[in-house]
Amino acid sequence: MSAGEEAPSELIASRRRKLEALRAEGVEPFPHAFEGVKSVSVVKEPHAELADGEETTVGARIAGRLAARRGQGKNAFVDIVDRSGRMQLHARVDVIGEESFERLLSLDLGDLVGADGTVFRTRRGELSLRLQSWTLLAKSLRPPPDKHHGLTDLEARYRHRELDLMANEETRALFLTRAKVIATIRRKLDERGFVEVESPVLQPLYGGGAARPFVTHHNALNRDFYLRIAVELYLKRCMVGGLERVYELGKNFRNEGLSTKHNPEFTMLEWYEAYADYSDMAARCEELVSQVASEIGYDGPIDFSTPWARETLAGSIQARTDIDVLAHRDLDALRAAMRERELEVPDEQTWAQLVDHLLSKYVEPTLQQPTFLMDYPVELSPFAKRHRGDGDGSDNGLVERFEAFCGGMEIANAFSELNDPDEQRARFEQQRAAAAAGDAEAHPYDEAFLRALEQGMPPTGGIGIGIDRLIMVLTGRQSIRDVLLFPALRQP
RNA sequence: GCCCUUGUAGCUCAACUGGCAGAGCAGCGGACUCUUAAUCCGAAGGUUGAAGGUUCGAUUCCUUCCGGGGGCACCA
């Protein structure tokens, strides 16, 4: 399995001999184009009612990978697979001629071929193409995965996704679904008057989340940049600028461990809407996701229909552990309450972290159906606005923030955005103190962002949706690696 | 980082308690004009992830390392 020194393989040598033989016969093994190709599904679609054994005069040109071959005499059946499906070709030596027939039989599985023929259905009922002529479109020099069992080895599927895609129809279907999810999201947001923006991936200062960043270096400027961990702060500057409704859909990067729910680069959607708050974000979120689910024909155990369940964070913890975290509003009190109920007390250093622990251990795994958890502690939320409470100032140290959960994991995070520059500055000061105390994920102080807020940002609702996780939920996958074409792996 | 588990032919998988590493598909040679996991005949294909160790003998037992999966930790 070394990349450099290739083990000598008779299988590869055989394919190379065929390649040279073709060239010697004057056949170009890598032609430039093949015009007028129709997809297999388009060719098949009008002939669904064709009777067994019936011929048509409908000509069609298809192209794809040679996936199987049956019959080697004076006729042969070969299967061509394209993105849309599989179609059988029937080749007869008395139709296509001796030379073309022999050459067809000498093809290797995996070769790319183009075919012209007429549509017919075999006596056994297979809608096929009566081959008139064919062309080699690209020679394949390596053996494809097993034609029947496909490729099942997970490591091979992740490292060589091209093999997974060519061998496993479900893999192709999954990534087509992924594309449809993303296209639908864009369309829905565009329809609602959101403008798509692109903020820097290389940032002088990272921000918008609690995470460790990747650091890189720009040679000409002789300075370091961070790969963004979120787009939040830039999009809010767009809001200050008056764009009113903006979104960005792109990659974020976090320098953390890998897991079934975490990849170091992942796709995030964030949008911001002027004159809206977190309740409006929840309504838009559940509407968008349920529309996407129906658009892709989701048919699984999760009910995405609106409205989704809503609980408060504190209420959700109390329901599952019998602990009211708001009645034990400091570290020692909460620890005591946990001990009293014989819960394991981890080594967390702050009340907020302990709340976060209770959430992820006792609540999150139970949230299979879509659920919003509302109203988070301010300590966990440096960019969210204080809770309006009941108008009597009794906000309990909470902010207007929710996270959406589904399939036992977080898929979205939203707030009524903090737009008071002085309070934002104070929050940054707290983060600075946390960093000084050793918190590696503390948020860095961002003066440019504060300066923008001082220009005045409208009341704004904002949200981030983890697209990879959303696709996991929509496709029923347990690992984020299954929904990423090329997941991060160790060096082989 | 820790724990469990896993790695055999190009692919999919066997190999009992330690006893000659095997099959299907693919590939190679041949037969076959409606097959579809085509069929039939023949020949071939291996440093069992790597390196050590125990043993008369290791795919099998032990150690270390590398890769994958799961869990914990870390982390949204």
Side-chain angles (χ1 to χ4, degrees):
Chain A
M1 286 289 173
S2 72
E5 201 75 19
E6 183 72 44
S9 162
E10 177 51 33
L11 298 176
I12 291 172
S14 160
R15 285 168 181 254
R16 288 200 171 272
R17 280 195 299 272
K18 290 182 184 176
L19 175 73
E20 293 316 316
L22 287 168
R23 286 198 167 117
E25 294 168 26
V27 176
E28 170 54 60
F30 298 101
H32 289 79
F34 193 63
E35 284 162 19
V37 170
K38 285 187 180 150
S39 81
V40 161
S41 63
V42 165
V43 170
K44 281 184 163 180
E45 197 270 333
H47 302 288
E49 304 303 318
L50 199 64
D52 292 358
E54 197 174 342
E55 304 270 344
T56 76
T57 56
V58 179
R61 164 169 279 198
I62 63 172
R65 200 174 284 278
L66 182 64
R69 177 173 41 205
R70 295 171 297 279
Q72 298 188 0
K74 298 285 187 286
N75 84 130
F77 295 88
V78 300
D79 289 349
I80 296 293
V81 171
D82 75 5
R83 196 178 80 188
S84 73
R86 174 182 289 245
M87 190 164 194
Q88 173 174 271
L89 310 179
H90 187 201
R92 298 169 49 136
V93 66
D94 54 354
V95 175
I96 67 172
E98 195 81 34
E99 187 188 41
S100 174
F101 189 78
E102 287 305 316
R103 202 168 275 150
L104 183 69
L105 293 192
S106 74
L107 286 176
D108 288 305
L109 295 192
D111 286 350
L112 291 153
V113 302
D116 290 291
T118 53
V119 177
F120 77 110
R121 193 182 291 280
T122 65
R123 284 172 220 153
R124 304 275 180 101
E126 177 86 15
L127 194 59
S128 308
L129 210 56
R130 167 89 60 224
L131 193 62
Q132 243 81 59
S133 65
W134 67 277
T135 308
L136 177 63
L137 298 181
K139 185 68 188 164
S140 169
L141 295 176
R142 289 179 181 275
D146 185 279
K147 69 179 180 181
H148 181 240
H149 297 97
L151 189 70
T152 62
D153 181 76
L154 265 185
E155 181 174 4
R157 292 178 52 205
Y158 293 154
R159 283 194 199 281
H160 303 286
R161 188 68 88 179
E162 65 282 4
L163 299 178
D164 188 24
L165 286 166
M166 75 174 70
N168 298 323
E169 166 124 42
E170 321 82 71
T171 303
R172 285 199 297 278
L174 187 145
F175 287 104
L176 293 178
T177 297
R178 180 178 173 120
K180 194 166 191 178
V181 167
I182 288 170
T184 303
I185 287 171
R186 279 210 165 87
R187 193 175 75 243
K188 296 293 179 190
L189 288 170
D190 291 343
E191 283 170 3
R192 283 160 181 69
F194 285 83
V195 55
E196 181 168 10
V197 298
E198 295 174 277
S199 67
V201 171
L202 298 177
Q203 301 184 346
L205 202 59
Y206 63 96
R212 267 177 279 191
F214 289 93
V215 186
T216 189
H217 186 78
H218 190 284
N219 291 335
L221 295 178
N222 189 27
R223 61 166 299 181
D224 287 345
F225 280 95
Y226 300 100
L227 273 61
R228 67 186 182 192
I229 61 170
V231 297
E232 170 149 355
L233 303 192
Y234 282 98
L235 295 203
K236 285 193 212 173
R237 287 164 71 174
C238 294
M239 299 303 292
V240 170
L243 294 184
E244 293 176 349
R245 293 182 177 195
V246 300
Y247 73 96
E248 180 160 3
L249 209 172
K251 288 283 183 78
N252 286 348
F253 308 85
R254 298 189 179 182
N255 207 340
E256 296 162 353
L258 296 85
S259 81
T260 51
K261 296 182 178 67
H262 300 83
N263 196 66
E265 60 179 287
F266 61 100
T267 300
M268 178 79 104
L269 166 68
E270 292 191 31
W271 81 71
Y272 292 82
E273 178 175 357
Y275 316 118
D277 64 13
Y278 77 142
S279 299
D280 300 315
M281 292 300 102
R284 280 211 189 279
C285 176
E286 63 191 355
E287 180 193 23
L288 178 69
V289 172
S290 72
Q291 284 174 337
V292 167
S294 103
E295 188 82 15
I296 63 163
Y298 175 81
D299 164 28
I302 296 172
D303 178 8
F304 289 104
S305 60
T306 61
W308 294 357
R310 283 164 170 75
E311 300 182 53
T312 63
L313 172 61
S316 74
I317 293 173
Q318 181 153 27
R320 288 157 184 85
T321 65
D322 195 35
I323 294 174
D324 180 358
V325 295
L326 297 181
H328 306 275
R329 195 60 178 82
D330 64 67
L331 182 62
D332 290 337
L334 185 51
R335 277 180 174 163
M338 289 171 70
R339 277 191 216 102
E340 199 177 304
R341 285 161 187 79
E342 293 177 347
L343 301 181
E344 183 194 340
V345 181
D347 199 21
E348 309 291 6
Q349 291 309 304
T350 68
W351 174 86
Q353 286 169 354
L354 212 47
V355 171
D356 202 27
H357 166 83
L358 290 170
L359 165 63
S360 46
K361 178 149 188 191
Y362 299 104
V363 181
E364 190 168 343
T366 70
L367 299 176
Q368 294 299 319
Q369 296 298 326
T371 305
F372 294 114
L373 294 188
M374 322 288 292
D375 304 338
Y376 277 58
V378 63
E379 297 94 320
L380 293 171
S381 317
F383 298 103
K385 209 176 223 176
R386 289 264 171 196
H387 201 283
R388 68 195 77 181
D390 300 322
D392 58 359
S394 61
D395 60 28
N396 271 325
L398 298 179
V399 293
E400 295 196 355
R401 171 185 178 189
F402 71 77
E403 294 187 308
F405 295 83
C406 188
M409 60 187 171
E410 179 204 342
I411 59 168
N413 179 24
F415 357 108
S416 300
E417 301 294 340
L418 177 57
N419 62 344
D420 176 338
D422 293 334
E423 181 162 2
Q424 184 66 71
R425 189 178 295 277
R427 302 272 186 96
F428 274 140
E429 296 290 357
Q430 287 165 9
Q431 291 294 311
R432 186 181 261 171
D439 182 353
E441 280 94 36
H443 205 287
Y445 199 100
D446 191 332
E447 188 60 43
F449 173 62
L450 289 172
R451 186 184 163 115
L453 280 191
E454 285 168 358
Q455 297 288 345
M457 183 174 86
T460 295
I463 187 169
I465 298 181
I467 295 300
D468 310 290
R469 290 181 175 184
L470 178 62
I471 289 165
M472 287 170 67
V473 165
L474 288 169
T475 59
R477 301 299 162 138
Q478 298 305 308
S479 170
I480 197 169
R481 287 182 279 265
D482 288 343
V483 303
L484 298 168
L485 275 170
F486 302 101
L489 298 174
R490 291 174 198 275
Q491 275 193 322

